Amino acid sequence: IKMKQLTGKERLLKAIYLQEPDVVPHFEFLIHQKVRDAILPGASFDDFVDYMDLDGVAVFDKVNWRYETLEAEKKIMRDQWGAIVRFTSEDLGIALEPAIKSPSDFDSYVPPDPELPWRYERIEQVVKRFKGKRAIVAHVTDVFDVSKESLLGDIEYFKGMIRNPAMIDQANGIVLDYHLKYIKNCLDIGAEMILVTGDWAMTQGPMASPELTKRFMVPPLRKISDYCHSRGVPCLKHSDGNIWPIFDLFTEAGIDAIHPIDPEASMDIGEAKAKYGQKVCLMGNIDCGPLLCWGSEQDVQEEVKNCINKAGVGGGLVCMSSNTIHSAVKPNNYVAMVEAIREYGKYPLHLN
């Protein structure tokens, strides 16, 4: 699945900055080992990236956090923020209990240290292998997501938005301070774009009102995007769910690209292109649920073609899954998806 024209970095940057590359770019935030092994048995992740000729390589922060094991048989661990999480078959854990139980806990709370050298071993490997060929994408979990899940817990965070705004600001500030230092270090090492993931919405709509979203969630993201731009790199944002009521707030936060225009939330990427395609690059939105898990290869190819037809004109599209390539994705469907992007995504597009 090889191409010889632009480099992966050049291809992605053209799309992110709303220009037409040679072909619609593709990469994934995470690709589960089960899927990788079925396609290229026994290969390392980096060898798989080369085999699939992906345009970017993401270094996901949560995957590289260090966890303290609490109950090995139940896969229950403590994350770097002090929250208790449980792991299942997927790469990312599920929060069970937050680190901070009451406002007084802030007095003794010690956040993780972003300066520890081991945090950057993986991104150093990626830079050494792929710099100049593929985009090096460093990842942080959204300030809202970490504050809500690891520090305060969902219920206390949402209650605090109304009853104790200062507590929310304090929690957000702790996470933002860590993130900005971590991002600086990643960029100093050689990262070329920053990805921020964390959902602001569910299938039915945003988790908080537009007013609360603007008050508590936009400012930390704006500070991250501003720092990225001060360093000359783009800031990419992921949020599942129906984000129509808050789409303008993402653009106000200064992000350069938004993922995934969630098909499971009935978001149409053609509508997003028409409304926001002159402001922000669209990333997505091949359904990683029923389509990639249970659909046929022909179904996948048709959906890729549909996505490119709707959102690829003029550039500004990175075609990828609607979340990640998780363990339930049919390996052949992922291969069909990548092949279809390369076949139907060549510029100038020949639209149906």
Side-chain angles (χ1 to χ4, degrees):
I1 314 179
K2 293 284 183 182
M3 299 176 296
K4 293 292 183 185
Q5 290 183 39
L6 297 177
T7 66
K9 175 189 174 182
E10 291 167 342
R11 191 171 291 118
L12 266 172
L13 286 176
K14 275 190 172 289
I16 289 167
Y17 291 133
L18 310 181
Q19 301 167 4
E20 285 192 356
D22 52 352
V23 65
V24 172
H26 169 73
F27 77 109
E28 291 291 339
F29 303 158
L30 291 168
I31 304 173
H32 197 278
Q33 185 175 350
K34 179 181 175 183
V35 178
R36 301 198 316 264
D37 283 346
I39 296 169
L40 193 66
S44 68
F45 180 84
D46 291 347
D47 287 344
F48 183 83
V49 167
D50 274 336
Y51 177 76
M52 298 298 290
D53 200 15
L54 305 185
D55 292 309
V57 187
V59 178
F60 217 85
D61 69 347
K62 280 188 175 182
V63 175
N64 293 294
W65 289 354
R66 288 186 177 174
Y67 293 82
E68 175 192 355
T69 300
L70 301 179
E71 296 184 55
E73 68 282 0
K74 295 182 180 179
K75 297 183 179 179
I76 294 176
M77 303 184 183
R78 191 185 309 277
D79 73 16
Q80 68 172 19
W81 301 94
I84 297 174
V85 299
R86 178 170 54 84
F87 284 86
T88 61
S89 61
E90 301 307 312
D91 292 318
L92 305 180
I94 300 166
L96 298 179
E97 184 179 310
I100 293 173
K101 309 296 194 303
S102 69
S104 62
D105 289 345
F106 281 106
D107 297 336
S108 58
Y109 181 74
V110 179
D113 182 358
E115 304 300 338
L116 297 174
W118 61 260
R119 296 191 185 282
Y120 305 97
E121 291 171 359
R122 175 60 184 150
I123 198 150
E124 287 168 349
Q125 291 173 351
V126 169
V127 167
K128 184 177 180 180
R129 177 156 178 170
F130 296 114
K131 188 78 167 181
K133 295 181 287 185
R134 310 187 192 283
I136 314 298
V137 185
H139 164 267
V140 293
T141 304
D142 197 291
V143 168
F144 166 66
D145 216 49
V146 176
S147 297
K148 172 175 64 71
E149 293 190 359
S150 291
L151 290 191
L152 297 175
D154 292 12
I155 294 173
E156 292 306 314
Y157 192 97
F158 288 122
K159 283 165 54 180
M161 284 176 154
I162 303 296
R163 300 177 183 176
N164 194 348
M167 180 181 72
I168 305 304
D169 290 337
Q170 187 173 7
N172 285 353
I174 289 170
V175 181
L176 178 63
D177 181 66
Y178 171 91
H179 278 7
L180 290 174
K181 292 173 182 175
Y182 178 80
I183 289 168
K184 176 188 182 299
N185 292 339
C186 288
L187 295 177
D188 288 347
I189 290 166
E192 296 161 326
M193 50 191 72
I194 299 298
L195 165 66
V196 183
T197 70
D199 299 338
W200 289 13
M202 301 170 290
T203 303
Q204 299 303 315
M207 294 184 183
S209 69
E211 293 76 19
L212 292 176
T213 300
K214 186 170 185 174
R215 166 67 177 83
F216 294 105
M217 295 147 70
V218 170
L221 181 59
R222 179 85 222 192
K223 288 181 179 177
I224 289 172
S225 71
D226 283 348
Y227 180 71
C228 290
H229 298 154
S230 79
R231 295 291 301 268
V233 302
C235 180
L236 324 177
K237 177 71 176 91
H238 160 88
S239 174
D240 285 338
N242 180 352
I243 63 169
W244 286 129
I246 56 171
F247 209 126
D248 286 319
L249 297 180
F250 286 109
T251 61
E252 281 183 30
I255 61 167
D256 299 285
I258 183 73
H259 177 270
I261 318 301
D262 192 350
E264 292 289 297
S266 300
M267 293 198 68
D268 182 78
I269 200 165
E271 184 178 352
K273 181 75 170 184
K275 291 181 177 178
Y276 296 99
Q278 300 304 310
K279 294 182 178 180
V280 66
C281 172
L282 304 177
M283 305 172 70
N285 70 339
I286 308 304
D287 178 24
C288 71
L291 177 67
L292 288 180
C293 294
W294 308 313
S296 69
E297 292 175 38
Q298 184 177 359
D299 291 337
V300 172
Q301 291 167 352
E302 288 301 313
E303 189 53 38
V304 168
K305 191 188 302 184
N306 184 49
C307 178
I308 292 171
N309 283 346
K310 285 184 172 183
V313 176
L317 172 67
V318 180
C319 192
M320 54 198 301
S321 76
S322 63
N323 191 278
T324 60
I325 301 301
H326 53 83
S327 65
V329 169
K330 287 165 64 174
N332 287 349
N333 277 354
Y334 178 53
V335 173
M337 171 182 155
V338 176
E339 290 177 341
I341 293 168
R342 305 280 162 73
E343 180 178 353
Y344 301 115
K346 293 184 180 72
Y347 288 94
L349 298 178
H350 299 287
L351 304 180
N352 293 334

